[in-house]
Amino acid sequence: MLFLAVVSCLLYCTVSAEKPGALNDVWDFTESYLLTVWQNRLYVYTTAAVLIGVWFTVNMLFKKKKMVDPISPLLYKSVKKQELSTETEKVIHVSGVKVFYGSQTGTAKGFAKELAGDVVAQGIQCEVIDMKEYDPEDRLAEECTSKMICVFLVATYTDGQPTESAEWFCKWLEEASTDFRYGKTYLKGMRYAVFGLGNSVYVGHYNTVSKNIDKWLWMLSAARIMTRGEGDCNVVKSRHGSVQADFQAWKTKFLNRLQALAKGEKKACSGKCKNGSCKNKKKHKEEAEDSQSLAEKNNSEEELMESSSDAESSAEEEKSHGSVIDMEDLGNVMNRMKKAKRMEGDEEDSQRVKLSKQNGVRKSESEEERREMITPALRDALTKQGYKLIGSHSGVKLCRWTKSMLRGRGGCYKHTFYGIESHRCMETTPSLACANKCVFCWRHHTNPVGTEWRWKMDPAEKIIQEAVENHRNMIRQFRGVPGVRPERFEEGLAVKHCALSLVGEPIMYPEINSFLRLLHQQKISSFLVTNAQFPEEIRSLVPVTQLYVSVDASTKDSLKKIDRPLFKDFWQRFMDSLRALGEKQQRTVYRLTLVKAWNVDELKAYADLIALGQPDFIEVKGVTYCGESSASSLTMANVPWHEEVVYFVQQLANLLPDYEIACEHEHSNCLLLAHHKFKVEGEWWTWIDYKRFQELIQEYEESGGTKIFSAMDYMAKTPSWAIFGARERGFDPSDTRFQRKNKTKDISGC
């Protein structure tokens, strides 16, 4: 309105000269109009504001619609396609099925093929695998991320043993389930189901293999997708009339479970849920509780092994009367235990066996009444860990480096430093007992402890014979295992070296000298390790190929903290042991284990100890983490990196004018300092001439100990690949380095 009034005024000014009479009339009209507008200006402003608001609102609505709508049909199609592809990927919960079978008569093999056909009929790919042709060490960890379902159809053979085709698979799985280097979560993510074939006529061995495989997989954190199935060849006891019918019933359940998993269902549901409680969930919970109780049982067995107190046998005796003790009888039980302990204490003075310089044993009349070192609980637990127990106090076990070298994957650091053939080395001990409880104990203190021999004693001849035989039997199990070299398999059956460092304190065995002589008579070299708590026994020891002393710390406080010795005068015994080592003519070694934040800063003190014993060699190795243990506060933070060990050794070598870094084995995180006398014309001679040693020890025995010899008489030249600074870093180039695909699993160590 105001705009029109202004225009009217301009027109009036323009034509006022030509038509004065007409314009006067126009002006009068305009003036009255403008006056009316001015008087009603409030309504004009309100109307204008409403119109502007409506216009602004309409524009905003149009803009919002444009933002929501797709820019183009092509863009709309591409976005839709991406959404569909994402949904398709989420649907793939099962990539396939692998059916493993271990068969003797072909029944399990037939079941495997039948199951594979039914799985393929459901549109899921399936592979049938003979356990004999499958290497679990290399490939089983891959199943954790492959989204495959692993099915194990295994038969139980004679005496509860696996069939020949499944023998290696079961052996590896059993050892991995108790080996701390693999860890409890090694197979986490793997899904599996087990069906066993057995005969209930054999009561003690019915479906033992399937039960064990199920247990070992669970111990490694694999997840079972359904309850283990059992087929019974005994038609009288079979749940469905025959082993074939048992398998058909289990197969139907498996195929239904497989369909559910393929659809993304985490747990199968029977459809009989009431009030939000699923019966299947309860069933799974019960299975988990059963498995957990099994693990707790195993743990309790391991805890039993940590004790070697005199009250143990009394406690076991009381346990045999019943697992539950009435509170009213508790006082009587305690009194009987105290009485038994007093009686055993009175007998110890007359029955205890003393270690002597002559290595003789004074046997008491009541020696047969002395208890055995290996209790029933200890025997069961050690057997599960892979030990082959001998008599009442000895054992033998297959080293992982023995297995490695059989397959051409390299030997241990002793192969690099001293020329040991790892596949021909027997790891054993004539005494499972020890006088220390070291924080880095490989066996988590699963062996008895004591300061002197107070158990029954087996003759050295029996220990040697059974140790060699058990070792050969363990080697024989590698016949036909994928990757094992035939020539090394044959060589491995002939024991050439003996590492007396399995567990415990070998030198505690009263007949250790007889044991060593028998080894040498069979042309087996001897590598004996002692914890430096028995100086008199070290002095009276007959010549060995190489004598080790563990020097785990260089001060009294740190030694007590790390080794936790039982002797009150442990530091004096430690120092006397180093002096006794310095008196030896044959090869001697200090073994230093570095524990970060515990003993890596004691360079000067270590140098003083080395000057005291003057060893031929000094092995420096980073501690190997053995997993969690209630008996130790050690963690991965205490494990030094290899370069940290190298730096420590270089610093130590600067303080030792007579020593120099000779060799390195990177895989074991270990280096060797050698005395300059083993460097001949600028070349290292740290290896051992084993044939020459056997000649020298034979001459020594025939002369009654008068014809002595020294470490210089049986040394051999060290190959270039073993020297510190070599490109191979201690790995034998004649073998092939094997890198594990699952790098998150650290199983280093030796």
Side-chain angles (χ1 to χ4, degrees):
M1 297 296 183
L2 294 175
F3 175 73
L4 294 175
V6 172
V7 172
S8 299
C9 291
L10 292 174
L11 291 173
Y12 172 76
C13 295
T14 306
V15 299
S16 61
E18 299 177 358
K19 298 179 179 179
L23 289 177
N24 286 333
D25 295 336
V26 174
W27 171 248
D28 292 337
F29 173 78
T30 303
E31 184 178 10
S32 61
Y33 178 77
L34 290 175
L35 182 62
T36 302
V37 171
W38 177 251
Q39 290 174 349
N40 297 284
R41 61 185 181 277
L42 179 61
Y43 300 105
V44 175
Y45 294 155
T46 302
T47 303
V50 171
L51 292 174
I52 293 172
V54 172
W55 174 81
F56 181 78
T57 303
V58 172
N59 280 336
M60 288 298 295
L61 289 174
F62 275 105
K63 287 183 178 180
K64 187 174 182 180
K65 187 176 180 181
K66 290 180 180 179
M67 292 174 65
V68 173
D69 290 342
I71 297 174
S72 66
L74 292 175
L75 180 59
Y76 173 79
K77 289 180 180 180
S78 63
V79 172
K80 201 70 177 175
K81 187 176 181 180
Q82 289 178 3
E83 292 177 355
L84 290 173
S85 62
T86 304
E87 292 177 359
T88 304
E89 290 177 358
K90 290 181 180 179
V91 171
I92 303 177
H93 297 281
V94 176
S95 60
V97 176
K98 288 186 177 181
V99 183
F100 298 84
Y101 69 87
S103 182
Q104 191 70 28
T105 61
T107 305
K109 182 179 180 180
F111 286 170
K113 292 183 177 179
E114 180 182 339
L115 179 61
D118 292 338
V119 171
V120 172
Q122 290 190 353
I124 301 175
Q125 65 173 353
C126 186
E127 181 182 1
V128 178
I129 301 173
D130 187 347
M131 286 183 171
K132 188 175 183 179
E133 299 174 356
Y134 185 87
D135 191 347
E137 186 171 13
D138 293 349
R139 300 173 58 188
L140 197 58
E142 298 175 358
E143 312 304 340
C144 298
T145 56
S146 64
K147 293 186 179 180
M148 300 289 286
I149 304 296
C150 297
V151 181
F152 299 91
L153 307 180
V154 288
T156 299
Y157 199 44
T158 308
D159 296 329
Q161 297 299 314
T163 62
E164 183 179 350
S165 62
E167 188 174 5
W168 162 243
F169 187 98
C170 294
K171 178 70 175 176
W172 179 89
L173 195 61
E174 178 184 11
E175 292 182 354
S177 66
T178 56
D179 193 333
F180 68 87
R181 292 168 296 190
Y182 285 92
K184 296 179 181 179
T185 60
Y186 186 72
L187 294 180
K188 187 174 183 180
M190 174 182 170
R191 296 175 293 177
Y192 73 95
V194 179
F195 180 83
L197 293 81
N199 194 323
S200 58
V201 172
Y202 304 100
V203 179
H205 306 300
Y206 175 58
N207 265 312
T208 304
V209 177
S210 63
K211 294 175 183 176
N212 286 336
I213 287 181
D214 186 30
K215 177 184 68 175
W216 295 329
L217 289 170
W218 177 86
M219 290 173 66
L220 291 169
S221 295
R224 64 171 71 92
I225 63 171
M226 60 182 294
T227 306
R228 183 187 71 252
E230 294 183 350
D232 193 350
C233 293
N234 182 8
V235 295
V236 177
K237 294 290 184 68
S238 173
R239 298 181 68 180
H240 301 89
S242 67
V243 67
Q244 288 80 8
D246 291 337
F247 174 71
Q248 293 298 328
W250 179 85
K251 184 183 69 171
T252 302
K253 294 179 181 179
F254 171 78
L255 294 175
N256 292 335
R257 184 76 182 101
L258 184 63
Q259 288 179 352
L261 289 172
K263 295 176 182 178
E265 297 179 14
K266 293 184 178 180
K267 292 187 178 181
C269 182
S270 61
K272 300 177 181 180
C273 303
K274 294 182 179 180
N275 300 326
S277 176
C278 181
K279 290 187 176 182
N280 280 52
K281 289 183 179 180
K282 292 182 179 179
K283 186 176 181 181
H284 283 286
K285 184 177 180 181
E286 290 173 359
E287 290 180 7
E289 290 175 352
D290 292 341
S291 302
Q292 184 175 359
S293 63
L294 178 62
E296 290 174 353
K297 181 180 178 182
N298 292 337
N299 291 337
S300 63
E301 289 176 348
E302 292 180 4
E303 290 174 3
L304 284 173
M305 294 185 291
E306 296 184 10
S307 172
S308 64
S309 64
D310 297 332
E312 179 181 343
S313 58
S314 300
E316 290 179 356
E317 185 178 350
E318 296 300 333
K319 186 177 180 180
S320 64
H321 295 292
S323 59
V324 179
I325 299 176
D326 197 304
M327 287 296 294
E328 296 178 358
D329 299 329
L330 189 59
N332 296 331
V333 172
M334 295 299 295
N335 289 333
R336 284 198 297 268
M337 290 180 65
K338 290 179 180 179
K339 183 178 178 180
K341 188 171 183 179
R342 283 197 303 269
M343 291 176 63
E344 291 181 2
D346 295 337
E347 293 174 357
E348 283 177 3
D349 294 335
S350 60
Q351 297 182 6
R352 190 171 297 160
V353 177
K354 299 290 185 180
L355 305 180
S356 64
K357 289 184 180 181
Q358 291 76 26
N359 199 32
V361 183
R362 186 174 59 201
K363 298 182 180 179
S364 63
E365 294 179 358
S366 57
E367 181 179 356
E368 293 182 359
E369 299 177 3
R370 205 175 300 117
R371 66 188 180 96
E372 294 185 352
M373 180 186 295
I374 305 176
T375 63
L378 175 60
R379 183 176 297 276
D380 291 342
L382 287 177
T383 301
K384 289 178 181 179
Q385 293 183 38
Y387 285 84
K388 300 297 182 183
L389 299 179
I390 303 164
S392 63
H393 54 76
S394 307
V396 63
K397 195 172 188 289
L398 208 61
C399 175
R400 83 174 186 92
W401 287 109
T402 301
K403 307 172 191 175
S404 176
M405 202 161 188
L406 281 171
R407 308 173 80 181
R409 295 180 174 180
C412 72
Y413 72 90
K414 290 191 288 291
H415 171 63
T416 299
F417 296 172
Y418 316 118
I420 277 185
E421 296 173 273
S422 300
H423 62 297
R424 304 183 69 179
C425 182
M426 176 178 68
E427 191 173 21
T428 187
T429 182
S431 170
L432 291 165
C434 187
N436 289 346
K437 293 179 74 68
C438 305
V439 296
F440 50 76
C441 178
W442 275 63
R443 311 303 172 191
H444 292 304
H445 315 108
T446 56
N447 55 303
V449 292
T451 57
E452 55 190 358
W453 193 271
R454 59 177 67 185
W455 302 277
K456 288 183 178 180
M457 189 179 66
D458 300 320
E461 294 82 1
K462 175 184 178 181
I463 299 173
I464 289 285
Q465 180 181 355
E466 293 191 21
V468 172
E469 187 58 34
N470 277 301
H471 178 81
R472 287 173 176 167
N473 288 337
M474 288 187 285
I475 294 293
R476 289 190 184 102
Q477 294 177 357
F478 283 82
R479 185 188 301 275
V481 170
V484 172
R485 296 184 179 181
E487 68 279 4
R488 290 193 176 177
F489 173 80
E490 296 298 329
E491 292 173 349
L493 294 173
V495 179
K496 187 177 179 181
H497 315 286
C498 180
L500 295 166
S501 61
L502 177 60
V503 69
E505 177 64 81
I507 208 169
M508 285 183 69
Y509 176 52
E511 291 190 4
I512 185 62
N513 281 341
S514 300
F515 184 89
L516 292 169
R517 290 190 180 100
L518 289 172
L519 279 178
H520 298 153
Q521 288 175 11
Q522 297 186 29
K523 307 300 180 183
I524 299 174
S525 64
S526 52
F527 292 78
L528 189 147
V529 181
T530 174
N531 289 321
Q533 289 296 298
F534 297 93
E536 291 304 316
E537 283 64 46
I538 293 177
R539 288 192 175 93
S540 62
L541 200 66
V542 299
V544 296
T545 309
Q546 192 155 280
L547 178 61
Y548 290 79
V549 167
S550 294
V551 183
D552 301 325
S554 61
T555 65
K556 183 177 180 179
D557 291 339
S558 58
L559 186 68
K560 183 177 182 179
K561 184 179 179 182
I562 294 175
D563 278 5
R564 297 188 292 186
L566 273 64
F567 283 107
K568 293 182 179 179
D569 58 340
F570 67 91
W571 183 249
Q572 186 60 47
R573 285 177 168 273
F574 179 74
M575 300 295 283
D576 290 344
S577 295
L578 298 185
R579 294 188 182 96
L581 189 80
E583 299 169 5
K584 292 296 180 180
Q585 298 293 317
Q586 292 74 41
R587 294 167 66 107
T588 56
V589 183
Y590 274 16
R591 173 181 283 182
L592 275 63
T593 302
L594 297 187
V595 186
K596 192 189 295 187
W598 289 45
N599 63 359
V600 295
D601 300 323
E602 305 171 355
L603 283 166
K604 182 62 172 63
Y606 274 121
D608 294 339
L609 292 181
I610 292 169
L612 181 65
Q614 289 292 314
D616 294 322
F617 305 98
I618 305 161
E619 292 178 4
V620 184
K621 184 181 184 298
V623 67
T624 301
Y625 179 58
C626 307
E628 296 180 0
S629 170
S630 59
S632 172
S633 59
L634 203 69
T635 67
M636 277 299 296
N638 299 114
V639 180
W641 295 97
H642 182 64
E643 297 308 322
E644 292 177 309
V645 176
V646 172
Y647 177 76
F648 176 89
V649 175
Q650 289 173 337
Q651 296 295 106
L652 182 61
N654 294 334
L655 301 176
L656 304 172
D658 295 331
Y659 294 85
E660 188 178 338
I661 304 178
C663 303
E664 173 188 26
H665 193 254
E666 183 187 25
H667 194 152
S668 296
N669 200 10
C670 188
L671 280 87
L672 180 71
L673 282 163
H675 197 279
H676 283 156
K677 63 184 178 182
F678 292 94
K679 196 170 189 179
V680 181
E681 297 180 356
E683 295 182 322
W684 285 110
W685 287 60
T686 66
W687 275 35
I688 298 173
D689 186 339
Y690 295 100
K691 182 179 179 181
R692 180 57 181 157
F693 170 79
Q694 297 298 343
E695 295 172 353
L696 292 170
I697 195 67
Q698 184 177 356
E699 293 173 0
Y700 173 86
E701 295 294 343
E702 291 175 352
S703 66
T706 58
K707 193 170 183 179
I708 60 175
F709 59 98
S710 70
M712 305 297 293
D713 296 327
Y714 57 100
M715 64 180 183
K717 187 178 179 181
T718 309
S720 59
W721 56 264
I723 303 299
F724 176 69
R727 178 177 56 85
E728 294 84 356
R729 306 203 76 172
F731 185 85
D732 191 341
S734 64
D735 285 346
T736 302
R737 188 71 180 267
F738 174 70
Q739 300 288 352
R740 293 187 177 274
K741 295 180 180 179
N742 194 346
K743 296 182 180 179
T744 60
K745 309 296 184 182
D746 179 15
I747 61 167
S748 61
C750 63

